[in-house]
Amino acid sequence: MRDKGESEQDVLEQLSVYRARDTSYDRVLSAMCTHPHPIAVRAHEMFMETNLGDAGLFRGAHELEHEAIAMLGGMLGDPGVSGYITTGGTESNIQAIRAARNSAISDDPNIVVSESAHFSFDKIADLLRVDVRKAELDEEFRVDPACVEAQIDDNTVALVGIAGTTEFGQIDPIRELSDMAVERRIFLHVDAAFGAFVIPFLDKPYDFDFRLPGVSSMTADPHKMGLCTIPAGGLLFRDPSHLQELRTHTPYLTIDTQYSLSGTRSGGVTAAAYAVMRHMGLEGYRNTVKYCMKMTGRLVDRVREFGVEPLIDPVMNVVVLDVGDTAKVRTKMAQKGWYTSITRSPLALRLVIMPHLSEKRLEEFLDDLELVCREL
Ligand code: 0PR
């Protein structure tokens, strides 16, 4: 740091230079985040300095958190859920499994997750010292319930289903997992980090949320398809006693209990999550999902015209394409300024169709993809 500070204008100019190096979302088909809704930005600014780590000082922000959690719960089948606004899917998953582990009695705990689980579960294995067992997928890239069942033993403290897998946008058979969880009395966590703001608005209904009796907790991220500012995740528990497993005593603060992983945390994102959900309403999200699914359908129709097939018919706005030499196609598309992603197994081209992608950009992307695929 310099001894004498620089003028505000100088610093802002420097920031603009750095900001110009960032990618703008319009050519990004690899991200699960998008432009936040303007009302989320406004709300975030209003509550930026509030600290939910000392919630007694910021009663307004604290109340907004309860409201935001109730709205998330209402969308997912239980407005009476307990929880808090996390920093994202990773924190929600960590905390859900921590609660499950703490509420169970085992010296050698394990959890059974789907092979398609997000890499946050690898962090969980390391942080929480639980054995993370991975169950195989069926040919449609959903977890195979029989494989989950085969991995369960007396030390299994949680099952995890994914509703909206990171790589394929697939939905695990949550009803079967819920039945298993009820029968075996095991905690069931549903990771709907991406899917929470998509699945309720698809034409086809899916059972994936608290309407299923076995679902104990859910991850549902406003900062993905919820159009909120970053970092905003949702952690929801059906049974308030599970949230209590995360309780830390904070005697010298204005409120003597904290549940979050982080201590000091801005109420900005909480206000943003509240504001964007109030403003969008279910109808707003339904329209967003309708747009993304229309674009997804257009993409699939068009690639089929030049001989490229998706690995599965897209369930949500994630498309995985068999383009032959995936690495080469990805590199060539990157040279044309497009950000794409891949799946690990099998290796294929992964595209996420977020609300920031315009119809015009999609057509340009498809023209370039056709050229690249035909040149192979
Ligand atoms: N669970 C699922 C199903 C996810 O897809 C993700 C993230 C997480 C949990 C973890 O969420 P946080 O990243 O909020 O902790 N899925 C994307 C991924 O890792 C996130 C992402 C977003 C990646 C924007 C890239 C990007 O530009 O692939």
Side-chain angles (χ1 to χ4, degrees):
M1 201 192 302
R2 296 182 183 186
D3 185 52
K4 194 166 161 41
E6 296 164 79
S7 74
E8 194 177 301
Q9 197 191 339
D10 281 356
V11 176
L12 289 173
E13 273 167 20
Q14 290 159 27
L15 288 180
S16 302
V17 171
Y18 285 96
R19 187 69 181 103
R21 290 180 197 155
D22 290 339
T23 303
S24 88
Y25 272 124
D26 73 326
R27 294 173 80 86
V28 174
L29 289 88
S30 61
M32 287 186 154
C33 291
T34 189
H35 298 296
H37 192 289
I39 201 165
V41 178
R42 287 278 296 279
H44 196 141
E45 280 167 4
M46 271 176 84
F47 283 80
M48 185 104 75
E49 70 187 44
T50 64
N51 173 17
L52 287 172
D54 197 4
L57 291 181
F58 302 102
R59 300 238 167 242
H62 190 44
E63 281 170 34
L64 283 180
E65 186 164 41
H66 285 294
E67 297 285 337
I69 291 299
M71 270 192 275
L72 281 171
M75 178 175 77
L76 300 170
D78 183 1
V81 289
S82 313
Y84 74 96
I85 299 294
T86 67
T87 52
T90 300
E91 181 180 343
S92 298
N93 287 341
I94 292 170
Q95 291 281 76
I97 300 307
R98 184 174 157 219
R101 183 201 65 180
N102 291 0
S103 65
I105 303 156
S106 168
D107 292 335
D108 186 19
N110 70 69
I111 63 173
V112 184
V113 309
S114 136
E115 219 168 49
S116 61
H118 182 257
F119 54 75
S120 46
F121 286 92
D122 299 333
K123 299 181 187 178
I124 285 170
D126 187 36
L127 278 169
L128 296 180
R129 300 279 157 203
V130 296
D131 182 20
V132 176
R133 300 179 173 176
K134 298 200 171 158
E136 282 165 37
L137 308 181
D138 65 16
E139 66 287 351
E140 293 276 298
F141 305 102
R142 287 173 300 228
V143 77
D144 180 343
C147 294
V148 173
E149 186 129 45
Q151 304 252 29
I152 297 175
D153 63 22
D154 292 344
N155 287 312
T156 302
V157 298
L159 307 179
V160 177
I162 321 289
T165 60
T166 309
E167 289 171 75
F168 288 90
Q170 184 53 283
I171 305 170
D172 282 340
I174 309 293
R175 176 172 285 283
E176 277 91 329
L177 297 180
S178 166
D179 291 347
M180 219 179 282
V182 170
E183 196 187 310
R184 305 253 195 162
R185 295 169 185 265
I186 302 176
F187 189 104
L188 171 60
H189 176 63
V190 175
D191 179 356
F194 186 71
F197 282 91
V198 179
I199 302 168
F201 310 111
L202 294 172
D203 289 338
K204 191 173 165 195
Y206 289 90
D207 296 321
F208 79 109
D209 60 15
F210 289 109
R211 290 171 188 92
L212 295 172
V215 175
S216 314
S217 62
M218 292 188 75
T219 290
D221 287 356
H223 74 196
K224 295 190 169 78
M225 286 291 285
L227 312 182
C228 189
T229 50
I230 298 171
L235 170 62
L236 312 173
F237 293 103
R238 180 198 301 276
D239 180 343
S241 74
H242 285 134
L243 181 64
Q244 292 308 319
E245 297 291 344
L246 303 176
R247 189 187 163 105
T248 300
H249 193 43
T250 55
Y252 58 86
L253 300 182
T254 48
I255 289 184
D256 66 0
T257 307
Q258 220 176 64
Y259 302 102
S260 53
L261 199 54
S262 46
T264 299
R265 60 188 178 105
S266 172
V269 281
T270 293
Y274 170 89
V276 69
M277 286 190 282
R278 290 290 287 211
H279 183 66
M280 292 286 288
L282 297 173
E283 186 188 27
Y285 288 118
R286 200 173 298 123
N287 289 336
T288 302
V289 169
K290 201 172 182 181
Y291 171 76
C292 293
M293 292 310 290
K294 188 185 89 184
M295 299 276 281
T296 301
R298 165 71 187 144
L299 189 152
V300 171
D301 289 348
R302 176 76 192 278
V303 298
R304 281 192 165 130
E305 281 169 24
F306 54 87
V308 166
E309 279 296 316
L311 266 67
I312 53 166
D313 279 331
V315 174
M316 49 184 82
N317 46 330
V318 179
V319 186
V320 178
L321 299 176
D322 178 5
V323 290
D325 190 341
T326 303
K328 197 165 175 186
V329 169
R330 199 177 176 211
T331 308
K332 294 215 160 193
M333 290 302 280
Q335 284 161 359
K336 292 179 185 290
W338 298 106
Y339 287 82
T340 62
S341 174
I342 51 165
T343 53
R344 293 165 297 182
S345 174
L347 179 64
L349 192 72
R350 168 182 174 260
L351 306 170
V352 188
I353 312 304
M354 294 298 284
H356 56 245
L357 190 70
S358 70
E359 291 183 40
K360 184 168 166 279
R361 281 278 181 271
L362 177 65
E363 294 309 321
E364 289 168 9
F365 173 83
L366 288 166
D367 291 344
D368 283 343
L369 187 64
E370 177 166 8
L371 270 177
V372 167
C373 288
R374 286 200 194 279
E375 274 170 14
L376 279 187

